Amino acid sequence: MKDILMTVASQFQLDGTVKTVKPLGEGFINDTFYIETCEAEADDYLLQRKNKNIFKNVPAMMDNIYKVTNHIKKKVIAAGGDPLRQVMTVVPTTDKKLYYQDEQGEYWAVCIFIKDNITYQAARTPELAFQGGKGIGLFQAMVADLKEPLTDILPGFHNIRYRFSQWDEVLAKDPVGRKALVTEEIDWIESRRKEMLDFWTLVEDGTIPTRVTHNDTKINNILFDNNGEVLCVIDLDTVLNSTVLNDYGDAMRSYTNTGLEDDPNLANVEMDLNIFRAYTEGYLSQTLSFLTKSEIEHLAFSAKYITYEQVLRFLMDYIDGDNYYKIKSPDHNLVRARAQNKLLVSMERNYDDMIKIIQQTMESFRN
Ligand code: GN1
Ligand code: MG
């Protein structure tokens, strides 16, 4: 493996000499490696083997990432910022491609490692949640005028109508005989099917507009500097055109959870409204200039929508025999689905307050 990684690294236009290439982190989807160079002045890099089972069109994905980062780079430069720290930089191969495909057909991509960054696995304080909201808001604001369409590299990603078609198919097949074990959980999905479809209809008919979205807005996809200020948003694999509500909702799903995404102890999982308020304040501080009325009116619902979608996706993967997400135990996807459902129920209980908080935040900006 070491040799393979060195060979892959040598395909890219790196400054300096490669010292080591080591595994980094534990994403659910891709495999990530850290490329350390010998020279102190040369950058270090992140190398990723993109998951081609999930990303069926890695060249288009890299092209999307390039368009978005390039657009942001121009703005950072115009504002006198640092284009190597305030946005990700994709490193091309020696033959000027944005990815390298090895002999096994695996796709690899490299970006510059942004030094002296801080990341957080959870947004436990309102201050941090506010910064996170600012980070995603700023990202969306910077790409709001990117008119060039992006390729839809994950057709139907946050489209619940599409998710239901997958769901219905998996349930009809019941490939590993798990359906009978999760009748109560299946009911969680079915009982909310209509309200979720009603929301998505508004996206389909254009009532809610489509823009450039990030689609994975967990706090650990934001880099902060040593002063706690947002540097940039990373993990751009899923940038595509959709509703910004997905980004807001997904952030609320991960930020406001007082427990873990896969918490086996459901008592730990609740929605924290203080975190919700802080993120919303940070987010709206950057996005009010372009969000439409229909978007603002559906912010609170989007938190429920994305959390529901995640319950569905985890549960569906469990019933399907665990083909999508990496798992650490045989029932990991079921544990995840239960924890996310607990969060969804907590959001439903807090829904009126969520709406009130959004209204109060809007009013505070008007004053
Ligand atoms: C996946 O691997 P990660 O954490 O970047 C998934 C998201 C899910 C998330 C659940 C392409 O993201 O949609 O919300 O897991 N990404 C993809 O934690 O499916
Ligand atoms: Mg991701």
Side-chain angles (χ1 to χ4, degrees):
M1 188 65 186
K2 223 169 129 201
D3 290 349
I4 300 174
L5 291 172
M6 289 301 261
T7 311
V8 171
S10 72
Q11 307 299 316
F12 291 86
Q13 293 184 34
L14 309 180
D15 280 340
T17 331
V18 177
K19 189 171 163 190
T20 53
V21 187
K22 288 185 187 146
L24 185 81
E26 38 176 311
F28 290 4
I29 309 281
N30 299 315
D31 298 304
T32 305
F33 304 89
Y34 186 85
I35 303 179
E36 188 189 358
T37 54
C38 299
E39 299 80 0
E41 66 285 1
D43 280 315
D44 287 345
Y45 300 89
L46 289 182
L47 167 69
Q48 275 195 322
R49 179 169 48 208
K50 302 291 185 182
N51 186 327
K52 66 178 192 307
N53 295 327
I54 290 176
F55 300 113
K56 309 276 188 217
N57 190 349
V58 176
M61 172 174 93
M62 293 310 299
D63 208 48
N64 283 349
I65 297 177
Y66 183 76
K67 278 183 193 155
V68 167
T69 52
N70 217 27
H71 186 82
I72 298 177
K73 247 179 226 305
K74 285 186 202 146
K75 295 209 168 169
V76 171
I77 292 169
D82 183 344
L84 292 178
R85 289 180 66 73
Q86 286 169 258
V87 59
M88 248 180 67
T89 305
V90 180
V91 178
T93 59
T94 49
D95 57 357
K96 299 199 177 71
K97 286 214 196 78
L98 299 172
Y99 59 88
Y100 165 67
Q101 191 175 24
D102 68 19
E103 281 154 17
Q104 280 71 47
E106 298 291 341
Y107 286 97
W108 301 81
V110 168
C111 65
I112 294 181
F113 176 76
I114 299 174
K115 288 192 182 127
D116 299 321
N117 77 68
I118 300 176
T119 54
Y120 299 91
Q121 291 311 314
R124 291 282 175 244
T125 65
E127 291 73 23
L128 186 56
F130 179 87
Q131 289 298 329
K134 245 176 92 176
I136 295 299
L138 187 62
F139 172 82
Q140 288 182 354
M142 285 199 284
V143 290
D145 61 342
L146 174 58
K147 293 289 175 266
E148 235 182 320
L150 303 177
T151 304
D152 188 4
I153 50 129
L154 291 170
F157 193 52
H158 285 312
N159 172 343
I160 209 70
R161 199 179 301 284
Y162 169 72
R163 293 297 178 191
F164 280 130
S165 67
Q166 291 183 310
W167 168 262
D168 291 339
E169 213 173 288
V170 168
L171 262 70
K173 274 199 200 130
D174 191 17
V176 288
R178 283 178 172 173
K179 202 171 113 178
L181 306 173
V182 289
T183 49
E184 186 190 335
E185 287 82 357
I186 290 173
D187 198 47
W188 299 338
I189 299 302
E190 294 302 341
S191 62
R192 297 171 174 92
R193 189 189 275 249
K194 183 177 176 307
E195 63 172 308
M196 298 300 159
L197 278 170
D198 286 349
F199 167 76
W200 195 252
T201 303
L202 300 175
V203 177
E204 289 167 330
D205 71 15
T207 308
I208 294 171
T210 292
R211 307 176 186 277
V212 176
T213 52
H214 181 278
N215 292 298
D216 192 2
T217 47
K218 289 190 286 277
I219 187 126
N220 64 8
N221 281 333
I222 299 182
L223 302 186
F224 294 86
D225 68 14
N226 292 330
N227 304 319
E229 292 290 325
V230 172
L231 274 173
C232 64
V233 175
I234 56 167
D235 190 4
L236 302 178
D237 289 355
T238 51
V239 287
L240 44 89
N241 294 112
S242 186
T243 159
V244 291
L245 293 173
N246 294 336
D247 282 355
Y248 176 85
D250 203 20
M252 293 301 77
R253 175 183 78 80
S254 63
Y255 280 62
T256 69
N257 185 353
T258 54
L260 301 173
E261 182 179 70
D262 59 350
D263 215 310
N265 182 358
L266 294 183
N268 292 339
V269 177
E270 283 293 341
M271 175 191 208
D272 183 334
L273 278 175
N274 289 324
I275 300 287
F276 178 84
R277 181 189 293 275
Y279 182 93
T280 302
E281 287 172 357
Y283 177 71
L284 288 175
S285 74
Q286 304 300 311
T287 54
L288 264 188
S289 58
F290 67 88
L291 289 184
T292 64
K293 191 162 170 277
S294 64
E295 286 171 314
I296 291 165
E297 277 172 4
H298 289 91
L299 285 169
F301 189 84
S302 74
K304 292 198 291 183
Y305 179 83
I306 292 288
T307 308
Y308 172 88
E309 181 200 297
Q310 201 62 67
V311 182
L312 185 154
R313 289 174 64 197
F314 285 147
L315 188 58
M316 178 165 73
D317 200 31
Y318 178 75
I319 298 169
D320 196 33
D322 308 310
N323 293 310
Y324 190 90
Y325 292 108
K326 290 181 194 165
I327 51 165
K328 289 185 183 156
S329 64
D331 65 349
H332 199 171
N333 272 317
L334 182 57
V335 172
R336 287 167 172 152
R338 287 180 176 149
Q340 291 292 294
N341 184 67
K342 172 74 195 298
L343 180 63
L344 173 61
V345 170
S346 176
M347 285 178 173
E348 289 174 340
R349 220 177 24 246
N350 286 300
Y351 192 52
D352 292 344
D353 286 335
M354 287 159 70
I355 290 176
K356 249 185 243 153
I357 288 171
I358 290 165
Q359 281 165 353
Q360 285 164 356
T361 309
M362 293 294 294
E363 272 158 33
S364 75
F365 283 115
R366 267 187 223 115
N367 296 329

